[in-house]
Coordinates of all heavy atoms in Angstrom, one line a residue:
M1 N 20.7 -2.6 -38.9 CA 20.8 -1.2 -38.5 C 21.5 -1.1 -37.2 O 21.1 -1.8 -36.2 CB 19.4 -0.6 -38.5 CG 19.5 0.9 -38.3 SD 17.9 1.7 -38.4 CE 17.7 2.0 -40.1
L2 N 22.4 -0.2 -37.0 CA 23.1 0.0 -35.8 C 22.3 0.9 -34.9 O 21.7 1.9 -35.3 CB 24.5 0.6 -36.0 CG 25.5 -0.3 -36.7 CD1 26.7 0.5 -37.0 CD2 25.8 -1.5 -35.9
E3 N 22.3 0.6 -33.6 CA 21.6 1.5 -32.6 C 22.6 2.6 -32.2 O 23.8 2.4 -32.1 CB 21.2 0.7 -31.4 CG 20.1 -0.3 -31.8 CD 19.4 -0.9 -30.6 OE1 19.4 -0.2 -29.5 OE2 18.9 -2.0 -30.7
P4 N 22.1 3.8 -32.0 CA 23.0 4.9 -31.6 C 23.5 4.6 -30.2 O 22.8 4.1 -29.3 CB 22.1 6.1 -31.6 CG 20.7 5.6 -31.5 CD 20.7 4.2 -32.1
E5 N 24.7 5.1 -29.9 CA 25.3 5.0 -28.6 C 24.7 6.0 -27.7 O 24.4 7.1 -28.1 CB 26.8 5.1 -28.7 CG 27.5 4.0 -29.4 CD 29.0 4.2 -29.4 OE1 29.5 4.7 -28.4 OE2 29.7 3.8 -30.3
T6 N 24.6 5.6 -26.5 CA 24.1 6.6 -25.5 C 25.1 6.6 -24.3 O 25.8 5.7 -24.1 CB 22.7 6.2 -24.9 OG1 22.8 5.0 -24.3 CG2 21.7 6.1 -26.0
N7 N 25.0 7.7 -23.6 CA 25.9 7.8 -22.4 C 25.0 7.9 -21.2 O 25.2 8.7 -20.3 CB 26.9 8.9 -22.5 CG 26.2 10.2 -22.9 OD1 25.1 10.3 -23.3 ND2 27.0 11.3 -22.8
V8 N 23.9 7.1 -21.1 CA 23.0 7.1 -20.0 C 23.5 6.1 -19.0 O 23.8 4.9 -19.4 CB 21.6 6.8 -20.4 CG1 20.7 6.6 -19.2 CG2 21.1 7.8 -21.4
V9 N 23.7 6.5 -17.8 CA 24.2 5.6 -16.7 C 23.0 5.3 -15.7 O 22.4 6.3 -15.2 CB 25.4 6.2 -16.0 CG1 25.9 5.3 -14.9 CG2 26.5 6.5 -17.0
A10 N 22.8 4.0 -15.5 CA 21.8 3.7 -14.5 C 22.4 3.8 -13.1 O 23.4 3.2 -12.8 CB 21.2 2.3 -14.8
F11 N 21.7 4.5 -12.2 CA 22.2 4.6 -10.8 C 21.4 3.7 -10.0 O 20.2 3.6 -10.1 CB 22.1 6.0 -10.3 CG 23.0 7.0 -11.0 CD1 22.6 7.8 -12.0 CD2 24.3 7.1 -10.5 CE1 23.5 8.7 -12.6 CE2 25.2 8.0 -11.1 CZ 24.8 8.8 -12.2
K12 N 22.1 3.0 -9.0 CA 21.4 2.2 -8.1 C 20.8 3.0 -7.0 O 21.3 4.0 -6.6 CB 22.4 1.2 -7.4 CG 23.1 0.2 -8.4 CD 24.0 -0.7 -7.7 CE 24.7 -1.6 -8.7 NZ 25.6 -2.5 -8.0
P13 N 19.6 2.6 -6.6 CA 19.0 3.4 -5.5 C 19.8 3.2 -4.2 O 20.4 2.2 -4.0 CB 17.6 2.7 -5.3 CG 17.7 1.4 -5.9 CD 18.8 1.5 -7.0
R14 N 19.7 4.3 -3.4 CA 20.4 4.2 -2.1 C 19.7 3.2 -1.2 O 18.5 3.2 -1.1 CB 20.4 5.6 -1.5 CG 21.3 6.6 -2.2 CD 21.2 8.0 -1.6 NE 20.9 8.0 -0.2 CZ 20.9 9.1 0.6 NH1 21.1 10.2 0.0 NH2 20.6 9.0 1.8
T15 N 20.5 2.5 -0.4 CA 20.0 1.5 0.5 C 19.7 2.2 1.8 O 18.7 1.8 2.5 CB 20.9 0.3 0.7 OG1 22.2 0.8 1.1 CG2 21.0 -0.5 -0.6
A16 N 20.5 3.1 2.2 CA 20.3 3.8 3.5 C 19.5 5.1 3.3 O 19.8 5.9 2.4 CB 21.6 4.1 4.2
V17 N 18.5 5.3 4.1 CA 17.7 6.5 3.9 C 18.0 7.4 5.2 O 17.8 6.9 6.3 CB 16.2 6.2 3.8 CG1 15.4 7.4 3.8 CG2 15.9 5.3 2.6
A18 N 18.4 8.6 5.0 CA 18.6 9.5 6.1 C 17.2 10.0 6.6 O 16.4 10.4 5.8 CB 19.5 10.6 5.6
H19 N 17.1 10.0 7.9 CA 15.9 10.5 8.5 C 16.1 11.7 9.2 O 17.2 11.9 9.9 CB 15.3 9.4 9.5 CG 14.9 8.2 8.8 ND1 13.7 8.0 8.1 CD2 15.5 7.0 8.8 CE1 13.6 6.8 7.6 NE2 14.7 6.1 8.0
H20 N 15.2 12.7 9.2 CA 15.4 13.9 10.0 C 15.3 13.5 11.4 O 14.6 12.6 11.8 CB 14.2 14.8 9.6 CG 14.4 16.2 10.2 ND1 14.0 16.5 11.5 CD2 14.9 17.3 9.7 CE1 14.2 17.7 11.7 NE2 14.8 18.3 10.6
P21 N 16.1 14.1 12.3 CA 16.2 13.8 13.7 C 14.8 13.8 14.4 O 14.5 12.9 15.1 CB 17.1 14.8 14.3 CG 18.0 15.3 13.2 CD 17.1 15.2 12.0
K22 N 13.9 14.7 14.0 CA 12.6 14.8 14.7 C 11.8 13.6 14.3 O 11.1 13.0 15.1 CB 11.9 16.1 14.3 CG 10.6 16.2 15.0 CD 9.9 17.5 14.6 CE 8.5 17.6 15.2 NZ 7.8 18.8 14.8
S23 N 11.8 13.2 13.0 CA 11.0 12.0 12.6 C 11.5 10.7 13.1 O 10.7 9.9 13.5 CB 10.9 12.0 11.0 OG 12.1 11.6 10.5
L24 N 12.8 10.6 13.3 CA 13.4 9.4 13.9 C 13.0 9.3 15.4 O 12.6 8.3 15.8 CB 14.9 9.4 13.8 CG 15.6 8.2 14.4 CD1 15.2 6.9 13.8 CD2 17.1 8.4 14.3
M25 N 13.1 10.4 16.1 CA 12.7 10.5 17.5 C 11.2 10.1 17.6 O 10.8 9.4 18.5 CB 13.0 11.8 18.0 CG 13.4 11.8 19.5 SD 14.1 13.3 20.0 CE 12.7 14.4 20.0
E26 N 10.4 10.7 16.7 CA 8.9 10.4 16.8 C 8.6 8.9 16.6 O 7.8 8.3 17.2 CB 8.2 11.2 15.8 CG 8.1 12.7 16.1 CD 7.5 13.6 15.0 OE1 7.4 13.1 13.9 OE2 7.2 14.8 15.3
R27 N 9.3 8.3 15.6 CA 9.1 6.9 15.4 C 9.5 6.0 16.5 O 8.9 5.1 16.9 CB 9.9 6.5 14.1 CG 9.3 7.0 12.8 CD 10.1 6.7 11.6 NE 10.9 5.5 11.6 CZ 12.0 5.3 11.0 NH1 12.6 6.3 10.4 NH2 12.7 4.2 11.1
V28 N 10.7 6.4 17.2 CA 11.1 5.6 18.3 C 10.2 5.8 19.5 O 9.8 4.8 20.2 CB 12.6 6.0 18.7 CG1 13.0 5.4 20.0 CG2 13.6 5.6 17.6
Y29 N 9.8 7.0 19.8 CA 8.9 7.3 20.9 C 7.5 6.6 20.7 O 6.9 6.2 21.7 CB 8.8 8.8 21.1 CG 9.9 9.4 21.9 CD1 11.2 9.0 21.7 CD2 9.7 10.3 22.9 CE1 12.3 9.5 22.4 CE2 10.8 10.9 23.6 CZ 12.1 10.5 23.3 OH 13.1 11.0 24.0
A30 N 7.0 6.6 19.5 CA 5.7 6.0 19.2 C 5.8 4.5 19.4 O 4.9 3.9 19.9 CB 5.3 6.3 17.8
A31 N 6.9 3.8 18.9 CA 7.0 2.4 19.0 C 7.6 1.9 20.3 O 7.5 0.7 20.6 CB 7.8 1.9 17.8
G32 N 8.3 2.7 21.0 CA 9.0 2.3 22.2 C 10.5 1.9 21.9 O 11.4 2.2 22.6
S33 N 10.7 1.2 20.8 CA 12.0 0.9 20.3 C 12.0 0.7 18.8 O 10.9 0.4 18.2 CB 12.6 -0.3 21.0 OG 11.9 -1.5 20.6
L34 N 13.1 0.8 18.2 CA 13.2 0.6 16.7 C 14.5 -0.1 16.4 O 15.6 0.4 16.8 CB 13.2 2.0 16.1 CG 13.3 2.1 14.6 CD1 11.9 1.7 14.0 CD2 13.6 3.5 14.2
P35 N 14.4 -1.2 15.7 CA 15.7 -1.9 15.2 C 16.3 -1.2 14.0 O 15.6 -0.6 13.2 CB 15.2 -3.3 14.9 CG 13.8 -3.1 14.5 CD 13.2 -1.9 15.3
L36 N 17.6 -1.2 14.0 CA 18.3 -0.6 12.8 C 19.2 -1.7 12.2 O 19.9 -2.4 13.0 CB 19.2 0.6 13.2 CG 18.5 1.9 13.6 CD1 19.6 2.9 13.9 CD2 17.6 2.4 12.5
R37 N 19.2 -1.8 10.9 CA 20.1 -2.7 10.2 C 21.6 -2.3 10.4 O 21.8 -1.1 10.6 CB 19.8 -2.8 8.8 CG 18.4 -3.4 8.4 CD 18.2 -3.6 6.9 NE 19.0 -2.7 6.1 CZ 18.5 -1.7 5.4 NH1 17.2 -1.5 5.4 NH2 19.2 -0.9 4.7
A38 N 22.5 -3.2 10.2 CA 23.9 -2.9 10.4 C 24.4 -1.9 9.3 O 25.3 -1.1 9.6 CB 24.7 -4.2 10.3
D39 N 23.8 -1.9 8.1 CA 24.3 -1.1 7.1 C 23.5 0.3 7.0 O 23.8 1.1 6.1 CB 24.1 -1.8 5.7 CG 22.7 -2.1 5.3 OD1 21.8 -2.0 6.2 OD2 22.5 -2.5 4.2
D40 N 22.7 0.6 7.9 CA 21.9 1.9 7.9 C 22.7 3.0 8.6 O 22.3 3.5 9.6 CB 20.6 1.6 8.6 CG 19.6 2.8 8.3 OD1 20.0 3.8 7.7 OD2 18.4 2.7 8.7
R41 N 23.8 3.3 8.0 CA 24.7 4.3 8.6 C 24.2 5.7 8.7 O 24.5 6.4 9.6 CB 26.1 4.3 7.9 CG 26.8 3.0 8.0 CD 28.2 3.1 7.5 NE 28.9 1.8 7.7 CZ 29.6 1.5 8.8 NH1 29.6 2.3 9.8 NH2 30.2 0.3 8.9
A42 N 23.3 6.1 7.8 CA 22.8 7.4 7.8 C 21.9 7.6 9.0 O 21.9 8.6 9.7 CB 22.0 7.7 6.5
T43 N 21.0 6.6 9.3 CA 20.1 6.7 10.4 C 20.9 6.6 11.7 O 20.6 7.2 12.7 CB 19.0 5.6 10.4 OG1 18.3 5.8 9.1 CG2 18.0 5.8 11.5
K44 N 22.0 5.8 11.7 CA 22.8 5.6 12.9 C 23.5 7.0 13.2 O 23.7 7.3 14.4 CB 23.9 4.5 12.7 CG 23.3 3.1 12.8 CD 24.4 2.1 12.6 CE 23.8 0.7 12.8 NZ 24.9 -0.3 12.7
A45 N 23.9 7.7 12.2 CA 24.6 9.0 12.5 C 23.6 10.0 13.2 O 24.0 10.7 14.1 CB 25.1 9.6 11.2
V46 N 22.4 10.0 12.8 CA 21.3 10.8 13.4 C 21.1 10.3 14.8 O 21.0 11.1 15.8 CB 20.0 10.8 12.6 CG1 18.9 11.5 13.3 CG2 20.3 11.4 11.2
A47 N 21.1 9.0 15.0 CA 20.8 8.4 16.3 C 21.9 8.8 17.3 O 21.7 9.0 18.5 CB 20.7 6.9 16.2
V48 N 23.2 8.8 16.9 CA 24.3 9.1 17.7 C 24.2 10.6 18.2 O 24.4 10.9 19.4 CB 25.6 8.9 17.0 CG1 26.8 9.5 17.7 CG2 25.9 7.4 16.7
M49 N 23.7 11.5 17.3 CA 23.5 12.9 17.7 C 22.4 13.0 18.8 O 22.5 13.7 19.8 CB 23.1 13.7 16.5 CG 22.9 15.2 16.8 SD 22.2 16.1 15.5 CE 20.6 15.3 15.4
L50 N 21.3 12.2 18.5 CA 20.2 12.2 19.5 C 20.6 11.6 20.8 O 20.1 12.0 21.9 CB 19.0 11.6 18.9 CG 18.3 12.3 17.7 CD1 17.2 11.5 17.1 CD2 17.7 13.6 18.2
Q51 N 21.4 10.6 20.8 CA 21.9 10.0 22.0 C 22.8 11.0 22.8 O 22.6 11.1 24.0 CB 22.8 8.7 21.7 CG 23.3 8.1 23.0 CD 24.5 7.2 22.7 OE1 25.3 7.4 21.8 NE2 24.6 6.1 23.5
A52 N 23.6 11.8 22.1 CA 24.4 12.8 22.8 C 23.6 13.8 23.5 O 24.0 14.4 24.5 CB 25.4 13.4 21.8
L53 N 22.4 14.1 22.9 CA 21.5 15.1 23.5 C 20.6 14.4 24.6 O 19.8 15.1 25.3 CB 20.6 15.7 22.5 CG 21.4 16.5 21.4 CD1 20.5 16.9 20.3 CD2 22.0 17.7 22.1
G54 N 20.7 13.1 24.8 CA 19.9 12.4 25.8 C 18.5 12.0 25.4 O 17.7 11.6 26.2
F55 N 18.2 12.1 24.1 CA 16.9 11.7 23.6 C 16.7 10.2 23.3 O 15.6 9.8 23.1 CB 16.5 12.6 22.4 CG 16.4 14.0 22.7 CD1 17.1 14.9 22.0 CD2 15.5 14.5 23.6 CE1 17.0 16.3 22.2 CE2 15.3 15.8 23.9 CZ 16.1 16.7 23.2
L56 N 17.8 9.5 23.1 CA 17.7 8.1 22.7 C 18.7 7.3 23.5 O 19.7 7.8 23.9 CB 18.0 7.9 21.2 CG 17.1 8.4 20.2 CD1 17.6 8.1 18.8 CD2 15.7 7.8 20.3
V57 N 18.4 6.0 23.6 CA 19.3 5.0 24.2 C 19.6 4.1 23.0 O 18.7 3.6 22.3 CB 18.6 4.2 25.3 CG1 19.5 3.0 25.8 CG2 18.3 5.1 26.5
I58 N 20.9 3.8 22.8 CA 21.4 2.9 21.7 C 21.9 1.7 22.3 O 22.7 1.7 23.2 CB 22.5 3.6 20.9 CG1 21.9 4.9 20.2 CG2 23.0 2.7 19.8 CD1 23.0 5.7 19.5
E59 N 21.4 0.5 21.8 CA 21.8 -0.8 22.2 C 22.4 -1.5 21.0 O 21.7 -1.5 20.0 CB 20.7 -1.6 22.9 CG 20.2 -0.9 24.2 CD 19.0 -1.6 24.7 OE1 18.0 -1.7 24.0 OE2 19.0 -2.1 25.8
E60 N 23.5 -2.2 21.2 CA 24.1 -3.0 20.1 C 23.5 -4.4 20.3 O 23.3 -4.9 21.4 CB 25.6 -3.1 20.3 CG 26.3 -4.1 19.5 CD 27.8 -4.2 19.9 OE1 28.1 -4.0 21.0 OE2 28.5 -4.5 19.0
I61 N 23.1 -5.0 19.1 CA 22.6 -6.3 19.1 C 23.7 -7.3 18.8 O 24.3 -7.2 17.7 CB 21.4 -6.5 18.1 CG1 20.3 -5.6 18.5 CG2 20.9 -8.0 18.1 CD1 19.2 -5.5 17.5
T62 N 24.1 -8.1 19.7 CA 25.3 -9.0 19.5 C 24.9 -10.2 18.6 O 23.8 -10.4 18.3 CB 25.9 -9.4 20.8 OG1 24.9 -10.1 21.6 CG2 26.3 -8.2 21.7
A63 N 25.9 -11.0 18.3 CA 25.7 -12.1 17.4 C 24.8 -13.1 18.0 O 24.1 -13.8 17.3 CB 27.1 -12.8 17.1
D64 N 24.7 -13.3 19.3 CA 23.8 -14.2 20.0 C 22.4 -13.7 20.2 O 21.6 -14.3 20.8 CB 24.4 -14.8 21.3 CG 24.7 -13.7 22.3 OD1 24.4 -12.5 22.0 OD2 25.1 -14.1 23.4
G65 N 22.2 -12.4 19.8 CA 20.8 -11.8 19.9 C 20.7 -11.0 21.2 O 19.6 -10.3 21.4
A66 N 21.7 -11.0 22.1 CA 21.6 -10.2 23.3 C 21.8 -8.7 23.0 O 22.4 -8.4 21.9 CB 22.6 -10.7 24.3
T67 N 21.4 -7.8 23.8 CA 21.6 -6.4 23.6 C 22.6 -5.9 24.7 O 22.7 -6.4 25.8 CB 20.3 -5.6 23.7 OG1 19.7 -5.8 25.0 CG2 19.4 -6.0 22.6
R68 N 23.4 -4.9 24.3 CA 24.3 -4.3 25.2 C 24.2 -2.8 24.9 O 24.4 -2.3 23.8 CB 25.8 -4.7 24.9 CG 26.8 -4.2 25.8 CD 28.2 -4.7 25.5 NE 28.7 -4.1 24.2 CZ 29.4 -3.0 24.2 NH1 29.6 -2.2 25.2 NH2 29.9 -2.5 23.0
Q69 N 23.9 -2.0 26.0 CA 23.8 -0.6 25.9 C 25.1 0.1 25.5 O 26.1 -0.2 26.2 CB 23.2 0.0 27.2 CG 22.9 1.5 27.0 CD 22.3 2.1 28.2 OE1 21.9 1.4 29.1 NE2 22.2 3.4 28.3
L70 N 25.1 0.9 24.5 CA 26.3 1.6 24.1 C 26.4 3.0 24.8 O 25.4 3.8 24.7 CB 26.3 1.8 22.6 CG 26.4 0.5 21.8 CD1 26.3 0.8 20.3 CD2 27.7 -0.3 22.1
Q71 N 27.5 3.4 25.3 CA 27.7 4.7 25.8 C 28.1 5.6 24.7 O 28.4 5.2 23.6 CB 28.8 4.7 26.9 CG 28.5 3.7 28.1 CD 27.1 4.1 28.7 OE1 26.8 5.2 29.0 NE2 26.3 3.0 29.0
R72 N 28.2 6.9 24.9 CA 28.5 7.8 23.9 C 29.8 7.5 23.1 O 29.8 7.6 21.9 CB 28.6 9.2 24.5 CG 27.3 9.8 24.9 CD 27.4 11.2 25.4 NE 26.2 11.6 26.0 CZ 26.0 12.7 26.7 NH1 27.0 13.5 26.8 NH2 24.9 13.0 27.2
G73 N 30.8 7.2 23.7 CA 32.1 6.9 23.0 C 32.2 5.6 22.3 O 33.1 5.4 21.5
E74 N 31.3 4.7 22.6 CA 31.3 3.3 22.0 C 30.6 3.2 20.7 O 30.8 2.1 20.0 CB 30.7 2.4 23.0 CG 31.4 2.3 24.3 CD 30.7 1.3 25.3 OE1 29.5 1.4 25.4 OE2 31.4 0.5 25.9
T75 N 29.8 4.1 20.3 CA 29.0 3.9 19.1 C 29.8 3.8 17.8 O 29.5 3.1 16.9 CB 28.0 5.1 19.0 OG1 28.7 6.3 19.0 CG2 26.9 5.1 20.1
K76 N 30.9 4.6 17.7 CA 31.7 4.5 16.5 C 32.3 3.1 16.3 O 32.3 2.7 15.1 CB 32.9 5.5 16.6 CG 33.6 5.7 15.3 CD 34.6 6.8 15.4 CE 35.4 7.0 14.1 NZ 36.4 8.1 14.2
G77 N 32.7 2.4 17.3 CA 33.2 1.1 17.2 C 32.2 0.0 16.9 O 32.5 -1.1 16.6
A78 N 30.9 0.3 17.0 CA 29.8 -0.6 16.9 C 29.0 -0.4 15.6 O 27.8 -0.8 15.5 CB 28.9 -0.7 18.1
M79 N 29.5 0.4 14.7 CA 28.7 0.7 13.5 C 28.4 -0.5 12.6 O 27.5 -0.4 11.8 CB 29.4 1.8 12.7 CG 29.4 3.2 13.4 SD 27.8 3.9 13.6 CE 27.8 5.1 12.3
D80 N 29.2 -1.5 12.7 CA 29.0 -2.7 11.8 C 28.0 -3.7 12.4 O 27.8 -4.8 11.8 CB 30.4 -3.3 11.5 CG 31.1 -3.8 12.8 OD1 30.8 -3.3 13.9 OD2 31.9 -4.8 12.7
R81 N 27.4 -3.4 13.5 CA 26.5 -4.3 14.2 C 25.1 -3.7 14.1 O 24.9 -2.5 14.0 CB 26.8 -4.5 15.6 CG 28.2 -4.9 15.9 CD 28.5 -6.4 15.9 NE 27.4 -7.2 16.3 CZ 27.2 -8.4 15.8 NH1 28.0 -8.9 14.9 NH2 26.2 -9.2 16.2
P82 N 24.0 -4.5 14.1 CA 22.7 -4.0 14.2 C 22.5 -3.3 15.6 O 23.1 -3.7 16.5 CB 21.8 -5.2 14.1 CG 22.6 -6.3 13.7 CD 24.0 -6.0 14.0
W83 N 21.6 -2.3 15.6 CA 21.3 -1.6 16.8 C 19.8 -1.6 17.1 O 19.0 -1.9 16.2 CB 21.6 -0.1 16.6 CG 23.1 0.3 16.6 CD1 24.2 -0.6 16.7 CD2 23.7 1.6 16.5 NE1 25.3 0.1 16.7 CE2 25.1 1.4 16.5 CE3 23.1 2.8 16.3 CZ2 25.9 2.5 16.4 CZ3 23.9 3.9 16.2 CH2 25.3 3.7 16.3
R84 N 19.5 -1.3 18.3 CA 18.1 -1.1 18.7 C 18.1 0.3 19.4 O 18.8 0.5 20.4 CB 17.6 -2.1 19.7 CG 16.1 -1.9 20.1 CD 15.6 -3.0 20.9 NE 16.1 -3.0 22.2 CZ 15.7 -3.7 23.2 NH1 14.8 -4.7 23.0 NH2 16.3 -3.6 24.4
L85 N 17.2 1.2 18.9 CA 17.1 2.5 19.5 C 15.8 2.5 20.4 O 14.8 1.9 20.1 CB 16.8 3.6 18.4 CG 17.8 3.6 17.3 CD1 17.5 4.7 16.3 CD2 19.2 3.8 17.8
S86 N 16.0 3.0 21.6 CA 14.9 3.0 22.6 C 14.7 4.4 23.2 O 15.6 5.2 23.2 CB 15.2 2.1 23.8 OG 15.4 0.8 23.3
K87 N 13.5 4.6 23.7 CA 13.2 5.9 24.4 C 13.8 5.8 25.8 O 13.7 4.7 26.4 CB 11.7 6.0 24.5 CG 11.2 7.1 25.2 CD 9.7 7.3 25.1 CE 9.0 6.3 26.0 NZ 7.6 6.5 26.2
P88 N 14.5 6.8 26.2 CA 15.1 6.7 27.5 C 14.1 6.8 28.6 O 13.0 7.4 28.4 CB 16.1 7.9 27.6 CG 15.5 8.9 26.6 CD 14.9 8.0 25.5
A89 N 14.4 6.2 29.8 CA 13.4 6.3 30.9 C 13.4 7.7 31.4 O 14.4 8.4 31.4 CB 13.9 5.3 32.0
F90 N 12.2 8.1 31.9 CA 12.0 9.5 32.4 C 12.9 9.7 33.6 O 13.5 10.8 33.8 CB 10.6 9.6 32.8 CG 10.2 11.0 33.2 CD1 10.2 12.1 32.3 CD2 9.9 11.3 34.5 CE1 9.9 13.4 32.7 CE2 9.6 12.6 35.0 CZ 9.6 13.6 34.0
S91 N 13.2 8.7 34.4 CA 14.0 8.8 35.6 C 15.5 8.9 35.3 O 16.3 9.2 36.1 CB 13.7 7.6 36.5 OG 14.2 6.4 35.9
G92 N 15.8 8.5 34.0 CA 17.2 8.5 33.6 C 17.9 7.2 33.8 O 19.1 7.0 33.4
T93 N 17.2 6.2 34.3 CA 17.8 4.9 34.4 C 17.1 3.9 33.5 O 15.8 3.9 33.5 CB 17.8 4.4 35.9 OG1 16.4 4.4 36.3 CG2 18.6 5.2 36.8
L94 N 17.8 3.1 32.8 CA 17.2 2.1 31.9 C 16.5 1.0 32.7 O 17.0 0.5 33.7 CB 18.3 1.5 31.0 CG 17.8 0.7 29.8 CD1 17.0 1.6 28.9 CD2 18.9 0.0 29.1
G95 N 15.3 0.7 32.4 CA 14.5 -0.3 33.1 C 13.5 0.3 34.1 O 12.7 -0.4 34.6
A96 N 13.7 1.6 34.4 CA 12.7 2.3 35.4 C 11.6 2.8 34.5 O 11.8 3.2 33.4 CB 13.5 3.4 36.1
P97 N 10.4 2.9 35.1 CA 9.2 3.4 34.4 C 9.4 4.8 34.0 O 10.0 5.6 34.7 CB 8.1 3.2 35.3 CG 8.6 2.7 36.6 CD 10.0 2.4 36.4
D98 N 8.9 5.2 32.8 CA 9.0 6.6 32.4 C 7.8 7.4 33.0 O 7.1 6.9 33.9 CB 9.0 6.7 30.8 CG 7.7 6.2 30.2 OD1 6.7 6.0 30.9 OD2 7.7 6.1 29.0
G99 N 7.6 8.6 32.6 CA 6.6 9.5 33.2 C 5.2 8.9 33.1 O 4.3 9.2 33.9
G100 N 4.9 8.1 32.0 CA 3.6 7.5 31.9 C 3.4 6.2 32.6 O 2.4 5.6 32.5
G101 N 4.4 5.7 33.3 CA 4.4 4.5 34.0 C 4.7 3.3 33.2 O 4.7 2.2 33.7
A102 N 5.1 3.5 31.9 CA 5.5 2.4 31.0 C 6.9 2.1 31.2 O 7.8 3.0 31.4 CB 5.1 2.7 29.6
F103 N 7.3 0.8 31.1 CA 8.7 0.4 31.1 C 9.3 0.6 29.6 O 8.6 0.1 28.7 CB 8.9 -1.0 31.6 CG 8.8 -1.1 33.0 CD1 7.5 -1.5 33.6 CD2 9.8 -0.9 33.9 CE1 7.4 -1.6 35.0 CE2 9.7 -1.0 35.2 CZ 8.5 -1.3 35.8
P104 N 10.5 1.1 29.5 CA 11.0 1.2 28.1 C 11.4 -0.2 27.7 O 11.7 -1.1 28.5 CB 12.3 2.0 28.3 CG 12.6 2.1 29.8 CD 11.3 1.7 30.5
T105 N 11.3 -0.4 26.4 CA 11.6 -1.8 25.8 C 12.9 -1.8 25.1 O 13.4 -0.8 24.7 CB 10.5 -2.2 24.8 OG1 10.4 -1.2 23.8 CG2 9.2 -2.4 25.5

């Protein structure tokens, strides 16, 4: 007996999950820093917007594991590398204690 033909197509689940800017900021602020995979472009797009507003610091993770802080115009060229998102220092300088006396990581 022949099986009937179907036109059902299986869709692959999305690998990148878009996060609302508020939830991403809450996760970074609670943890101090948050690593992002190189292929997580949806979350990176939200992070770039939050960086422009001054809410996040974006660091590129280089091939040797070192980090390099990305300025606003540099993020587009570093989308293929993993990132680390951090809470900015209260004083506005990276490495200075924030309002609670903790050092950003």
Side-chain angles (χ1 to χ4, degrees):
M1 187 178 272
L2 295 174
E3 293 193 25
E5 290 185 33
T6 62
N7 53 349
V8 176
V9 178
F11 290 98
K12 295 181 182 179
R14 290 179 26 178
T15 56
V17 177
H19 297 285
H20 189 275
K22 183 179 176 184
S23 71
L24 178 62
M25 216 168 68
E26 288 173 348
R27 289 177 27 216
V28 171
Y29 279 41
S33 69
L34 181 73
L36 289 182
R37 294 186 332 250
D39 64 348
D40 193 353
R41 293 190 179 273
T43 305
K44 285 181 177 183
V46 173
V48 169
M49 180 192 65
L50 291 171
Q51 179 198 32
L53 296 172
F55 294 123
L56 290 180
V57 173
I58 299 175
E59 295 173 302
E60 172 187 30
I61 302 172
T62 60
D64 62 354
T67 58
R68 183 179 72 87
Q69 185 175 351
L70 297 174
Q71 301 305 316
R72 289 184 188 171
E74 297 178 316
T75 54
K76 188 174 182 179
M79 291 295 258
D80 60 336
R81 308 273 328 148
W83 287 2
R84 182 174 73 173
L85 307 178
S86 301
K87 177 173 78 168
F90 186 69
S91 65
T93 57
L94 193 63
D98 64 11
F103 284 95
T105 55

